[in-house]
Amino acid sequence: MAAAPVQRDAAATTHLPVVHSVPVRIGMLAAMPSELRPLVRKLRLRHADEAIGRKAHVGRLGRADITAAVTGMGTVAAAEAARRMLDAGGVDHIVVVGIAGGIDDGLAIGDVVVPKTVIDGVTGTEYRPDPLGEAPSDGALHTSDEFFVDPERLAALRARGVVALDMESAAIGAVCQERGCPWSVFRAISDRSSDGLVDDAVFHLARPDGSPKLPSVARLVARQPRRIVDLVRLGRDARVATQSAAAAAIRTCGKATDSL
């Protein structure tokens, strides 16, 4: 299967038709503070009323008003955050920004996937994000709270066109579809199944807000000192991915609103 077209951190070179219904009030949702942080820094966002959402920030991007908030990890937290943002009002378009695990070997660390389809891993329901500006989209993103690395299951997902895995996008898409709010996804690859760095032990080193469980980290390293190298690499790759996803989202939203 061919790899999905990706956006690199440099300027995009694709030239698809511009969507004429351009959002002027954009809500950005990221699962973890580390995923939101690049958006806050690059856009110089300021703290907002907590009623908007957890660790929420507001600001401007060109002619658009920006509201950005952390959802927490997982489908339940993501759906609740999307509802909270929409209930607060003032959002025309929700943009999901963050990292994902790649299962397509054609994707490199930091590549940004803008999926054409997002699949709910429990129900099998497929959601279609809305085009935003000139951002190209292709491939499918699979959302699930379950962690798995079974080769047969991964192969079955690839056969469906899935290129990456996450834990929030389908839940946010379901809420947006229910509320009639357009939504888009920008996920950068932070790890790849073929690299074998993330297993069940590493997956459970993070709390729901993405912060590390330090006692668990210490126990893992004490039992398997060689994993220190893996953890350092994962941390570095995650930083690359969060920066790349934020840059792609900002670039695309900025270009979309420039035509207003």
Side-chain angles (χ1 to χ4, degrees), residues 130-181:
D130 296 278
L132 182 60
E134 298 181 353
S137 62
D138 203 359
L141 180 68
H142 182 273
T143 297
S144 175
D145 292 317
E146 181 186 6
F147 174 78
F148 57 89
V149 291
D150 178 69
E152 291 186 2
R153 294 185 68 179
L154 294 177
L157 291 178
R158 292 189 194 99
R160 293 186 64 182
V162 174
V163 297
L165 313 175
D166 83 338
M167 298 176 64
E168 297 84 25
S169 294
I172 294 171
V175 172
C176 288
Q177 180 171 299
E178 175 187 325
R179 299 290 187 90
C181 179

Short mmCIF file of all heavy atoms in Angstrom, two decimals, residues 130-181:
data_model
loop_
_atom_site.label_atom_id
_atom_site.label_comp_id
_atom_site.label_asym_id
_atom_site.label_seq_id
_atom_site.Cartn_x
_atom_site.Cartn_y
_atom_site.Cartn_z
N ASP A 130 -13.32 17.38 7.58
CA ASP A 130 -13.64 18.38 6.55
C ASP A 130 -12.37 19.01 6.01
O ASP A 130 -11.44 19.31 6.77
CB ASP A 130 -14.54 19.46 7.14
CG ASP A 130 -15.87 18.89 7.58
OD1 ASP A 130 -16.75 18.73 6.72
OD2 ASP A 130 -16.02 18.58 8.79
N PRO A 131 -12.31 19.23 4.69
CA PRO A 131 -11.14 19.90 4.12
C PRO A 131 -10.95 21.28 4.73
O PRO A 131 -11.92 21.97 5.03
CB PRO A 131 -11.49 20.01 2.63
CG PRO A 131 -12.52 18.95 2.40
CD PRO A 131 -13.31 18.89 3.67
N LEU A 132 -9.71 21.66 4.90
CA LEU A 132 -9.40 22.98 5.46
C LEU A 132 -8.34 23.62 4.59
O LEU A 132 -7.20 23.14 4.51
CB LEU A 132 -8.90 22.85 6.90
CG LEU A 132 -8.56 24.15 7.64
CD1 LEU A 132 -9.79 25.05 7.73
CD2 LEU A 132 -8.03 23.85 9.03
N GLY A 133 -8.71 24.69 3.90
CA GLY A 133 -7.75 25.35 3.03
C GLY A 133 -7.25 24.42 1.95
O GLY A 133 -8.01 23.68 1.33
N GLU A 134 -5.93 24.39 1.76
CA GLU A 134 -5.32 23.60 0.70
C GLU A 134 -4.68 22.32 1.23
O GLU A 134 -3.93 21.66 0.52
CB GLU A 134 -4.27 24.43 -0.03
CG GLU A 134 -4.85 25.65 -0.73
CD GLU A 134 -3.79 26.46 -1.47
OE1 GLU A 134 -2.60 26.13 -1.33
OE2 GLU A 134 -4.15 27.39 -2.17
N ALA A 135 -4.94 21.95 2.48
CA ALA A 135 -4.30 20.77 3.06
C ALA A 135 -4.75 19.51 2.34
O ALA A 135 -5.94 19.21 2.31
CB ALA A 135 -4.62 20.67 4.54
N PRO A 136 -3.83 18.73 1.76
CA PRO A 136 -4.22 17.47 1.11
C PRO A 136 -4.54 16.43 2.16
O PRO A 136 -3.99 16.43 3.25
CB PRO A 136 -2.96 17.09 0.33
CG PRO A 136 -1.84 17.67 1.13
CD PRO A 136 -2.38 18.97 1.70
N SER A 137 -5.45 15.53 1.85
CA SER A 137 -5.79 14.48 2.79
C SER A 137 -5.83 13.14 2.08
O SER A 137 -6.22 13.05 0.92
CB SER A 137 -7.14 14.75 3.46
OG SER A 137 -8.18 14.78 2.51
N ASP A 138 -5.44 12.10 2.80
CA ASP A 138 -5.50 10.75 2.26
C ASP A 138 -5.22 9.77 3.39
O ASP A 138 -4.68 10.14 4.44
CB ASP A 138 -4.50 10.56 1.13
CG ASP A 138 -4.89 9.42 0.20
OD1 ASP A 138 -5.92 8.77 0.46
OD2 ASP A 138 -4.18 9.16 -0.78
N GLY A 139 -5.59 8.53 3.18
CA GLY A 139 -5.33 7.51 4.18
C GLY A 139 -6.33 7.56 5.31
O GLY A 139 -7.17 8.47 5.40
N ALA A 140 -6.26 6.57 6.19
CA ALA A 140 -7.18 6.48 7.32
C ALA A 140 -6.41 6.48 8.63
O ALA A 140 -5.28 6.00 8.71
CB ALA A 140 -8.02 5.21 7.21
N LEU A 141 -7.05 7.03 9.64
CA LEU A 141 -6.53 7.05 11.01
C LEU A 141 -7.45 6.19 11.85
O LEU A 141 -8.68 6.31 11.76
CB LEU A 141 -6.51 8.49 11.52
CG LEU A 141 -6.00 8.76 12.93
CD1 LEU A 141 -4.51 8.49 13.03
CD2 LEU A 141 -6.30 10.21 13.32
N HIS A 142 -6.88 5.32 12.68
CA HIS A 142 -7.66 4.40 13.51
C HIS A 142 -7.59 4.86 14.96
O HIS A 142 -6.52 5.07 15.51
CB HIS A 142 -7.09 2.99 13.38
CG HIS A 142 -7.83 1.94 14.15
ND1 HIS A 142 -7.56 1.65 15.47
CD2 HIS A 142 -8.85 1.11 13.78
CE1 HIS A 142 -8.36 0.68 15.88
NE2 HIS A 142 -9.14 0.33 14.87
N THR A 143 -8.77 5.06 15.59
CA THR A 143 -8.84 5.55 16.96
C THR A 143 -9.31 4.45 17.91
O THR A 143 -10.35 3.82 17.65
CB THR A 143 -9.81 6.74 17.07
OG1 THR A 143 -9.32 7.82 16.28
CG2 THR A 143 -9.94 7.21 18.51
N SER A 144 -8.57 4.24 19.00
CA SER A 144 -8.95 3.24 19.98
C SER A 144 -8.25 3.52 21.30
O SER A 144 -7.13 4.01 21.33
CB SER A 144 -8.58 1.84 19.49
OG SER A 144 -8.83 0.87 20.49
N ASP A 145 -8.91 3.17 22.42
CA ASP A 145 -8.27 3.25 23.73
C ASP A 145 -7.37 2.05 23.96
O ASP A 145 -6.56 2.05 24.88
CB ASP A 145 -9.33 3.28 24.84
CG ASP A 145 -10.12 4.58 24.84
OD1 ASP A 145 -9.50 5.64 24.68
OD2 ASP A 145 -11.35 4.53 24.99
N GLU A 146 -7.53 1.05 23.13
CA GLU A 146 -6.77 -0.19 23.29
C GLU A 146 -5.38 -0.06 22.65
O GLU A 146 -5.24 0.48 21.55
CB GLU A 146 -7.52 -1.34 22.63
CG GLU A 146 -6.84 -2.69 22.76
CD GLU A 146 -7.56 -3.78 21.97
OE1 GLU A 146 -8.52 -3.45 21.23
OE2 GLU A 146 -7.15 -4.94 22.09
N PHE A 147 -4.38 -0.56 23.35
CA PHE A 147 -3.04 -0.60 22.78
C PHE A 147 -2.77 -2.01 22.26
O PHE A 147 -3.00 -2.99 22.97
CB PHE A 147 -1.99 -0.24 23.83
CG PHE A 147 -0.58 -0.40 23.34
CD1 PHE A 147 -0.01 0.55 22.51
CD2 PHE A 147 0.16 -1.52 23.70
CE1 PHE A 147 1.28 0.39 22.04
CE2 PHE A 147 1.46 -1.68 23.23
CZ PHE A 147 2.02 -0.72 22.40
N PHE A 148 -2.30 -2.10 21.03
CA PHE A 148 -1.96 -3.42 20.50
C PHE A 148 -0.84 -3.29 19.47
O PHE A 148 -0.70 -2.27 18.79
CB PHE A 148 -3.19 -4.09 19.87
CG PHE A 148 -3.84 -3.30 18.78
CD1 PHE A 148 -3.45 -3.43 17.46
CD2 PHE A 148 -4.88 -2.42 19.07
CE1 PHE A 148 -4.05 -2.70 16.45
CE2 PHE A 148 -5.49 -1.68 18.07
CZ PHE A 148 -5.09 -1.83 16.76
N VAL A 149 -0.04 -4.34 19.40
CA VAL A 149 1.06 -4.39 18.43
C VAL A 149 1.04 -5.70 17.67
O VAL A 149 2.01 -6.04 16.99
CB VAL A 149 2.42 -4.21 19.13
CG1 VAL A 149 2.58 -2.81 19.68
CG2 VAL A 149 2.61 -5.25 20.24
N ASP A 150 -0.06 -6.43 17.78
CA ASP A 150 -0.17 -7.73 17.11
C ASP A 150 -0.02 -7.56 15.59
O ASP A 150 -0.78 -6.79 14.97
CB ASP A 150 -1.52 -8.35 17.42
CG ASP A 150 -1.72 -9.68 16.73
OD1 ASP A 150 -1.03 -10.66 17.08
OD2 ASP A 150 -2.55 -9.74 15.78
N PRO A 151 0.93 -8.25 14.97
CA PRO A 151 1.18 -8.08 13.53
C PRO A 151 -0.04 -8.34 12.66
O PRO A 151 -0.25 -7.65 11.66
CB PRO A 151 2.30 -9.09 13.25
CG PRO A 151 2.99 -9.27 14.56
CD PRO A 151 1.90 -9.18 15.59
N GLU A 152 -0.85 -9.33 13.03
CA GLU A 152 -2.01 -9.65 12.21
C GLU A 152 -3.05 -8.53 12.26
O GLU A 152 -3.65 -8.19 11.24
CB GLU A 152 -2.63 -10.98 12.67
CG GLU A 152 -1.75 -12.19 12.37
CD GLU A 152 -2.45 -13.49 12.72
OE1 GLU A 152 -3.64 -13.43 13.14
OE2 GLU A 152 -1.84 -14.55 12.54
N ARG A 153 -3.25 -7.97 13.44
CA ARG A 153 -4.22 -6.88 13.56
C ARG A 153 -3.72 -5.64 12.83
O ARG A 153 -4.51 -4.94 12.16
CB ARG A 153 -4.46 -6.55 15.03
CG ARG A 153 -5.15 -7.66 15.80
CD ARG A 153 -5.49 -7.23 17.22
NE ARG A 153 -6.52 -6.20 17.25
CZ ARG A 153 -6.99 -5.68 18.37
NH1 ARG A 153 -6.52 -6.08 19.54
NH2 ARG A 153 -7.93 -4.75 18.35
N LEU A 154 -2.43 -5.38 12.93
CA LEU A 154 -1.88 -4.23 12.21
C LEU A 154 -1.98 -4.43 10.70
O LEU A 154 -2.30 -3.49 9.96
CB LEU A 154 -0.43 -4.00 12.62
CG LEU A 154 -0.19 -3.58 14.07
CD1 LEU A 154 1.30 -3.47 14.37
CD2 LEU A 154 -0.88 -2.25 14.36
N ALA A 155 -1.74 -5.65 10.24
CA ALA A 155 -1.85 -5.95 8.81
C ALA A 155 -3.29 -5.75 8.32
O ALA A 155 -3.52 -5.23 7.22
CB ALA A 155 -1.38 -7.37 8.54
N ALA A 156 -4.26 -6.15 9.16
CA ALA A 156 -5.66 -5.98 8.78
C ALA A 156 -6.02 -4.50 8.67
O ALA A 156 -6.77 -4.09 7.79
CB ALA A 156 -6.56 -6.66 9.82
N LEU A 157 -5.47 -3.69 9.57
CA LEU A 157 -5.71 -2.24 9.50
C LEU A 157 -5.08 -1.65 8.24
O LEU A 157 -5.69 -0.80 7.57
CB LEU A 157 -5.18 -1.55 10.75
CG LEU A 157 -5.93 -1.85 12.05
CD1 LEU A 157 -5.24 -1.14 13.22
CD2 LEU A 157 -7.38 -1.41 11.94
N ARG A 158 -3.88 -2.06 7.94
CA ARG A 158 -3.22 -1.56 6.72
C ARG A 158 -4.06 -1.90 5.49
O ARG A 158 -4.15 -1.10 4.55
CB ARG A 158 -1.82 -2.15 6.59
CG ARG A 158 -0.83 -1.67 7.63
CD ARG A 158 0.58 -2.14 7.29
NE ARG A 158 1.46 -1.98 8.42
CZ ARG A 158 1.80 -2.97 9.26
NH1 ARG A 158 1.35 -4.20 9.05
NH2 ARG A 158 2.61 -2.74 10.28
N ALA A 159 -4.65 -3.08 5.50
CA ALA A 159 -5.47 -3.50 4.37
C ALA A 159 -6.69 -2.59 4.20
O ALA A 159 -7.23 -2.47 3.09
CB ALA A 159 -5.92 -4.95 4.55
N ARG A 160 -7.11 -1.93 5.28
CA ARG A 160 -8.23 -0.99 5.22
C ARG A 160 -7.77 0.41 4.87
O ARG A 160 -8.57 1.34 4.82
CB ARG A 160 -8.97 -0.94 6.56
CG ARG A 160 -9.68 -2.22 6.94
CD ARG A 160 -10.51 -2.01 8.21
NE ARG A 160 -11.59 -1.04 8.02
CZ ARG A 160 -12.42 -0.66 8.99
NH1 ARG A 160 -12.28 -1.15 10.21
NH2 ARG A 160 -13.37 0.23 8.75
N GLY A 161 -6.47 0.58 4.67
CA GLY A 161 -5.95 1.89 4.33
C GLY A 161 -5.50 2.70 5.51
O GLY A 161 -5.20 3.89 5.39
N VAL A 162 -5.44 2.07 6.70
CA VAL A 162 -5.01 2.79 7.90
C VAL A 162 -3.50 2.99 7.87
O VAL A 162 -2.73 2.05 7.61
CB VAL A 162 -5.39 2.00 9.18
CG1 VAL A 162 -4.82 2.67 10.43
CG2 VAL A 162 -6.91 1.90 9.29
N VAL A 163 -3.07 4.21 8.13
CA VAL A 163 -1.65 4.53 8.14
C VAL A 163 -1.13 4.89 9.53
O VAL A 163 0.07 4.90 9.77
CB VAL A 163 -1.32 5.67 7.15
CG1 VAL A 163 -1.65 5.25 5.73
CG2 VAL A 163 -2.04 6.96 7.54
N ALA A 164 -2.05 5.22 10.46
CA ALA A 164 -1.62 5.65 11.79
C ALA A 164 -2.71 5.40 12.81
O ALA A 164 -3.89 5.25 12.47
CB ALA A 164 -1.24 7.14 11.77
N LEU A 165 -2.30 5.37 14.09
CA LEU A 165 -3.20 5.09 15.21
C LEU A 165 -3.19 6.25 16.20
O LEU A 165 -2.14 6.84 16.45
CB LEU A 165 -2.76 3.82 15.95
CG LEU A 165 -2.41 2.59 15.11
CD1 LEU A 165 -1.88 1.48 16.02
CD2 LEU A 165 -3.62 2.10 14.32
N ASP A 166 -4.38 6.54 16.78
CA ASP A 166 -4.43 7.51 17.86
C ASP A 166 -5.54 7.11 18.83
O ASP A 166 -6.16 6.05 18.68
CB ASP A 166 -4.60 8.94 17.34
CG ASP A 166 -6.05 9.32 17.03
OD1 ASP A 166 -6.88 8.40 16.82
OD2 ASP A 166 -6.36 10.51 17.00
N MET A 167 -5.82 7.97 19.83
CA MET A 167 -6.77 7.62 20.87
C MET A 167 -7.90 8.64 21.04
O MET A 167 -8.69 8.52 21.97
CB MET A 167 -6.03 7.47 22.22
CG MET A 167 -4.99 6.38 22.23
SD MET A 167 -4.06 6.33 23.79
CE MET A 167 -5.36 5.90 24.95
N GLU A 168 -7.99 9.63 20.16
CA GLU A 168 -8.98 10.69 20.36
C GLU A 168 -9.77 11.12 19.14
O GLU A 168 -10.92 11.57 19.27
CB GLU A 168 -8.29 11.95 20.94
CG GLU A 168 -7.66 11.80 22.29
CD GLU A 168 -6.26 11.21 22.25
OE1 GLU A 168 -5.60 11.37 21.19
OE2 GLU A 168 -5.85 10.59 23.24
N SER A 169 -9.20 11.05 17.96
CA SER A 169 -9.79 11.74 16.80
C SER A 169 -11.21 11.29 16.45
O SER A 169 -12.08 12.12 16.16
CB SER A 169 -8.88 11.59 15.58
OG SER A 169 -7.66 12.26 15.78
N ALA A 170 -11.48 9.98 16.46
CA ALA A 170 -12.82 9.52 16.09
C ALA A 170 -13.86 10.01 17.09
O ALA A 170 -14.99 10.36 16.71
CB ALA A 170 -12.85 7.99 16.01
N ALA A 171 -13.49 10.06 18.38
CA ALA A 171 -14.43 10.53 19.40
C ALA A 171 -14.77 12.00 19.19
O ALA A 171 -15.94 12.41 19.33
CB ALA A 171 -13.83 10.32 20.79
N ILE A 172 -13.77 12.79 18.84
CA ILE A 172 -14.02 14.21 18.56
C ILE A 172 -14.84 14.36 17.29
O ILE A 172 -15.77 15.16 17.22
CB ILE A 172 -12.68 14.96 18.45
CG1 ILE A 172 -11.97 14.96 19.81
CG2 ILE A 172 -12.90 16.40 17.96
CD1 ILE A 172 -10.55 15.49 19.77
N GLY A 173 -14.51 13.55 16.28
CA GLY A 173 -15.27 13.59 15.04
C GLY A 173 -16.72 13.25 15.23
O GLY A 173 -17.61 13.86 14.61
N ALA A 174 -17.01 12.27 16.11
CA ALA A 174 -18.40 11.88 16.37
C ALA A 174 -19.18 13.04 16.98
O ALA A 174 -20.33 13.30 16.60
CB ALA A 174 -18.43 10.67 17.29
N VAL A 175 -18.57 13.74 17.93
CA VAL A 175 -19.23 14.88 18.56
C VAL A 175 -19.46 16.00 17.54
O VAL A 175 -20.54 16.59 17.48
CB VAL A 175 -18.42 15.40 19.76
CG1 VAL A 175 -19.00 16.71 20.30
CG2 VAL A 175 -18.36 14.35 20.86
N CYS A 176 -18.43 16.28 16.75
CA CYS A 176 -18.56 17.35 15.74
C CYS A 176 -19.64 17.02 14.73
O CYS A 176 -20.43 17.90 14.34
CB CYS A 176 -17.23 17.56 15.04
SG CYS A 176 -15.97 18.35 16.07
N GLN A 177 -19.69 15.77 14.31
CA GLN A 177 -20.72 15.37 13.34
C GLN A 177 -22.11 15.52 13.97
O GLN A 177 -23.05 16.01 13.33
CB GLN A 177 -20.50 13.93 12.90
CG GLN A 177 -21.52 13.43 11.90
CD GLN A 177 -21.17 12.08 11.31
OE1 GLN A 177 -20.14 11.93 10.67
NE2 GLN A 177 -22.02 11.09 11.52
N GLU A 178 -22.25 15.12 15.23
CA GLU A 178 -23.52 15.23 15.93
C GLU A 178 -23.97 16.69 16.05
O GLU A 178 -25.16 17.01 15.92
CB GLU A 178 -23.38 14.62 17.32
CG GLU A 178 -24.58 14.76 18.23
CD GLU A 178 -24.27 14.29 19.63
OE1 GLU A 178 -23.49 13.32 19.79
OE2 GLU A 178 -24.79 14.90 20.60
N ARG A 179 -22.99 17.59 16.28
CA ARG A 179 -23.30 19.01 16.49
C ARG A 179 -23.29 19.81 15.19
O ARG A 179 -23.58 21.00 15.20
CB ARG A 179 -22.29 19.62 17.45
CG ARG A 179 -22.29 18.99 18.83
CD ARG A 179 -23.54 19.31 19.62
NE ARG A 179 -23.44 18.85 21.00
CZ ARG A 179 -22.96 19.56 22.00
NH1 ARG A 179 -22.52 20.80 21.79
NH2 ARG A 179 -22.90 19.07 23.22
N GLY A 180 -22.93 19.19 14.08
CA GLY A 180 -22.88 19.91 12.82
C GLY A 180 -21.73 20.88 12.71
O GLY A 180 -21.83 21.90 12.00
N CYS A 181 -20.61 20.58 13.38
CA CYS A 181 -19.43 21.45 13.34
C CYS A 181 -18.34 20.82 12.47
O CYS A 181 -17.93 19.68 12.71
CB CYS A 181 -18.90 21.67 14.76
SG CYS A 181 -17.43 22.73 14.82
#
